Amino acid sequence: MTQTHTLALPGVDLVYDVRGPLPPADGQPLLLMIGQPMAADGFATLAELFPDRTVVTYDPRGLGRSVRTDGGTDNTPQQQATDLHALITSLGTGPVDVFGSSGGAVTGLELVATHPADVATLVAHEPPISSALPDAVGADRARAFFNDAYEAKGWGAGMAAFIVMTSWQGEFTEEFFAQPAPDPAMFGMPAEDDGTRDDPLLSKRSWAVTDYRPDPPRSPRHRPGS
């Protein structure tokens, strides 16, 4: 059974779902699944595969059901880690196991760095941190590649360019950038432009996620003398 709750925080009403008992059964840590810009509904199938665990999913600030009241539009790992710390504290069952996917993995890394006592185990699945790549400059250009398509022609063009970018094998060479803009119809995307430019993936609202730079010295395992 899934129970939905709302945690009132400064600037947002954070909505989260709990599957299983609180506190968790058998003394197991609570399992927190987080994404970015994916909201809780993206984990519905995965969460059901853990019937022996209490699983919590949530909609990050400004996404899905978590309506912002702070007037902000950017999605930063720092703010989201602060929100997660407040959520874990309110649940009263920490430390928790965290599975973070994509931008959620970046948030998980920031959570471990700033609130290490909150986390028992972090699985950071495919964090899109461009600065960690050997071709960081090329990765940033590739990000601009799909953002430019989105800003120029809308969601379908932007998503088609995003798919081409994420399907590229190896480093981003000049061969990649010499490609013509992909036709959205190739991927079943609409060619029509609805005029909106607030998509959390294709706009610049989540660029703070891919701009994130991990800071290992902040982790207790890397502090001098530890």
Side-chain angles (χ1 to χ4, degrees), residues 31-56:
L31 175 57
L32 179 61
M33 296 182 177
I34 58 177
Q36 166 63 42
M38 187 169 68
D41 56 359
F43 289 106
T45 300
L46 182 61
E48 295 299 330
L49 299 178
F50 293 85
D52 59 329
R53 301 288 299 272
T54 295
V55 178
V56 172

Side-chain angles (χ1 to χ4, degrees), residues 93-161:
T93 59
V96 303
D97 289 341
V98 178
F99 171 72
S101 182
S102 188
V106 180
T107 300
L109 292 171
E110 177 66 12
L111 178 65
V112 167
T114 54
H115 302 285
D118 287 352
V119 181
T121 300
L122 167 66
V123 176
H125 174 249
E126 295 185 345
I129 303 175
S130 298
S131 64
L133 299 176
D135 62 333
V137 174
D140 284 343
R141 285 182 64 192
R143 179 180 65 176
F145 168 77
F146 71 78
N147 174 253
D148 289 347
Y150 173 64
E151 294 293 343
K153 297 183 178 180
W155 186 86
M159 184 57 70

Side-chain angles (χ1 to χ4, degrees), residues 78-99:
Q78 293 79 8
Q79 180 62 70
Q80 292 188 8
T82 298
D83 290 345
L84 282 177
H85 171 64
L87 174 58
I88 293 167
T89 300
S90 72
L91 292 169
T93 59
V96 303
D97 289 341
V98 178
F99 171 72

Side-chain angles (χ1 to χ4, degrees), residues 159-218:
M159 184 57 70
F162 177 79
I163 293 172
V164 168
M165 186 269 292
T166 56
S167 301
W168 184 258
Q169 299 294 311
E171 297 187 1
F172 292 103
T173 62
E174 290 303 323
E175 181 184 356
F176 172 82
F177 298 106
Q179 298 178 101
D183 180 357
M186 294 171 53
F187 305 99
M189 305 294 174
E192 297 78 13
D193 184 353
D194 65 6
T196 62
R197 294 295 186 273
D198 58 358
D199 186 272
L201 175 64
L202 302 176
S203 70
K204 294 183 179 180
R205 294 188 174 197
S206 295
W207 276 27
V209 174
T210 48
D211 284 340
Y212 179 77
R213 292 181 177 272
D215 187 8
R218 287 191 293 168

